[in-house]
Amino acid sequence: MKRLYLLLLILFFTACATTSSGHRGIGYGSQDYVYVGDFCKKHNLQYDFDTLDDVVKIFSKEKDIRLILNSNIVYFNGSTFGLTDSPKYINGKLFVPRDLEAKVFSKEPVFYKSIFTIHTVVIDPGHGGNDPGAISCRGMKEKDLNLKIAKYLKEELEARGFKVILTRDRDVFISLQGRVNVAKRNKADIFISVHGNSNKSKRLRGAEMYYLSPNRFNSQERALKLTKEDNFCSGRINADTEAILWDLLLTKNYSLSVELSHSLYFSFRNMGFSVRPPKRAPFYVLRLAYVPSVLVETGYLSNKYEEKWLRKESYQKQIAEAIALAVVSMNKQYNNFASRNKQL
Ligand SMILES: [Zn+2]
């Protein structure tokens, strides 16, 4: 009898221990979530969450999992796949969809492959023809600056073995759809739109990088309204623009666009440029190419000091080099990632 009592007691505590160390799922809508801390503890993983860029990294020696808040795409050891829902940040705590566990710890073999190698880069010098973009008080037109930097960038990238196509190589107007078509036709791996910035506040300066935001807008109307409000590059809203405002499709391009914008940010920073952390943006040109896309604002034409630099050929070349190095760095990162996983 005593023995049976002891056994029951052990069973009771075992059950309690299992419960308390198990996952604390939360009901969030119809989905089942797990607190990221519990998930990591259970599987002996570490995690890092950067609230600035909404990127969640969960890792160990063997596992490299990357998620983005509000995106249901996950990277795992070189492969991408979709989850039932996206990670959520609630009351200062991060939760991941429960099916992440099944995907990552699935008994099915995972085929490691290089998921992303950059071969072809489409560079899109903003504006052109009857659309000058921003104009500095000394008369420098953004369309000309964009084209010069784009051409230097082409040289820099070609010297590093990339295939490069410009959406325009002279002073002509090209519709947004036309720019997108160039990327599609050439099966671009990445799309870089090059612009110059301008603001009423003449003090603003520095480079900026933008990637598309699938979660900031919940309707085309709102996106259109914000595009009008932001209007960074004297972009006129026309039927063309409206037609290709993003439809909030989440694709792996979003994650790659975020990574590319970060790679650009660090490259600019390493080269000593004044640069702000990447932002989400309502720029219509970003969504469209169906490839990872970023928009680089190389500097403010409205800032006297920066404009002086932007006019200089040597400075334009340095900007081109910074962008090229960012592309190289991103490519290297993915290649290393892929080859590391091949060895597993
Ligand atoms: Zn512009």
Side-chain angles (χ1 to χ4, degrees):
M1 185 66 195
K2 214 173 186 180
R3 195 172 282 175
L4 181 68
Y5 177 72
L6 196 68
L7 187 70
L8 280 172
L9 205 67
I10 288 168
L11 276 173
F12 175 74
F13 277 113
T14 312
C16 283
T18 308
T19 309
S20 63
S21 67
H23 284 187
R24 276 173 287 167
I26 56 157
Y28 191 90
S30 58
Q31 298 303 328
D32 210 359
Y33 281 82
V34 165
Y35 168 54
V36 71
D38 287 346
F39 177 79
C40 289
K41 204 172 161 188
K42 181 175 174 187
H43 298 291
N44 207 14
L45 297 159
Q46 286 179 282
Y47 76 95
D48 178 47
F49 175 47
D50 185 348
T51 47
L52 247 185
D53 60 10
D54 294 347
V55 173
V56 186
K57 287 181 181 161
I58 301 174
F59 54 94
S60 67
K61 264 187 182 173
E62 296 80 28
K63 290 190 165 39
D64 185 349
I65 307 164
R66 302 181 209 178
L67 303 127
I68 296 180
L69 218 59
N70 299 316
S71 162
N72 64 343
I73 304 291
V74 58
Y75 283 101
F76 170 53
N77 286 2
S79 299
T80 51
F81 49 82
L83 296 172
T84 51
D85 211 325
S86 53
K88 305 281 180 203
Y89 194 53
I90 306 161
N91 298 330
K93 271 189 154 185
L94 184 75
F95 294 88
V96 293
R98 195 179 282 279
D99 66 332
L100 176 67
E101 185 169 32
K103 299 268 180 174
V104 171
F105 294 95
S106 153
K107 282 181 184 136
E108 289 167 36
V110 178
F111 298 101
Y112 302 106
K113 58 182 191 286
S114 168
I115 51 155
F116 189 66
T117 304
I118 304 168
H119 299 290
T120 307
V121 182
V122 165
I123 305 167
D124 172 44
H127 313 278
N130 59 8
D131 171 14
I135 300 175
S136 77
C137 36
R138 287 203 283 177
M140 177 169 63
K141 289 174 183 158
E142 188 202 332
K143 64 173 183 176
D144 299 328
L145 174 71
N146 297 341
L147 185 58
K148 279 182 189 164
I149 293 172
K151 282 184 173 176
Y152 291 136
L153 176 56
K154 184 173 190 284
E155 282 173 23
E156 291 281 349
L157 286 171
E158 281 176 346
R160 291 169 168 85
F162 294 95
K163 185 182 168 195
V164 182
I165 291 119
L166 295 175
T167 55
R168 67 178 177 97
D169 59 2
R170 64 214 148 86
D171 187 16
V172 285
F173 176 80
I174 300 181
S175 69
L176 290 167
Q177 190 58 55
R179 294 169 196 266
V180 170
N181 289 344
V182 173
K184 272 184 170 176
R185 205 166 47 235
N186 291 285
K187 297 190 169 56
D189 296 306
I190 54 170
F191 181 89
I192 302 173
S193 201
V194 178
H195 283 253
N197 223 335
S198 177
N199 197 285
K200 272 184 210 153
S201 164
K202 308 275 182 255
R203 282 183 307 167
L204 279 181
R205 51 180 287 233
E208 293 169 5
M209 282 86 207
Y210 294 89
Y211 56 89
L212 70 87
S213 163
N215 60 338
R216 217 177 111 186
F217 312 108
N218 46 22
S219 73
Q220 285 209 345
E221 285 75 19
R222 180 153 163 70
L224 184 63
K225 186 170 170 280
L226 281 163
T227 310
K228 275 179 181 160
E229 279 168 5
D230 286 2
N231 203 17
F232 289 110
C233 287
S234 56
R236 286 179 287 264
I237 304 300
N238 52 31
D240 196 21
T241 306
E242 205 170 345
I244 57 169
L245 273 169
W246 54 72
D247 53 6
L248 310 181
L249 277 176
L250 288 176
T251 67
K252 72 171 181 181
N253 293 338
Y254 171 60
S255 312
L256 291 167
S257 301
V258 173
E259 296 219 7
L260 181 57
S261 66
H262 280 81
S263 186
L264 282 160
Y265 167 70
F266 287 114
S267 183
F268 271 70
R269 209 177 67 168
N270 291 343
M271 280 184 69
F273 285 99
S274 161
V275 59
R276 292 193 184 82
K279 292 180 206 159
R280 299 185 177 115
F283 290 110
Y284 32 81
V285 80
L286 294 181
R287 154 199 99 106
L288 5 110
Y290 303 101
V291 296
S293 311
V294 289
L295 188 144
V296 183
E297 296 278 10
T298 52
Y300 280 83
L301 281 83
S302 48
N303 179 285
K304 264 188 185 173
Y305 175 81
E306 198 158 61
E307 193 253 13
K308 215 167 96 184
W309 281 103
L310 287 167
R311 299 171 84 90
K312 291 181 202 285
E313 199 182 286
S314 57
Y315 194 77
Q316 295 163 1
K317 283 183 177 169
Q318 279 174 38
I319 289 173
E321 194 186 346
I323 300 173
L325 289 176
V327 175
V328 170
S329 150
M330 185 159 165
N331 219 19
K332 212 179 265 173
Q333 187 187 326
Y334 274 91
N335 287 339
N336 289 346
F337 190 49
S339 58
R340 199 170 68 227
N341 288 318
K342 263 179 210 154
Q343 292 160 12
L344 287 176

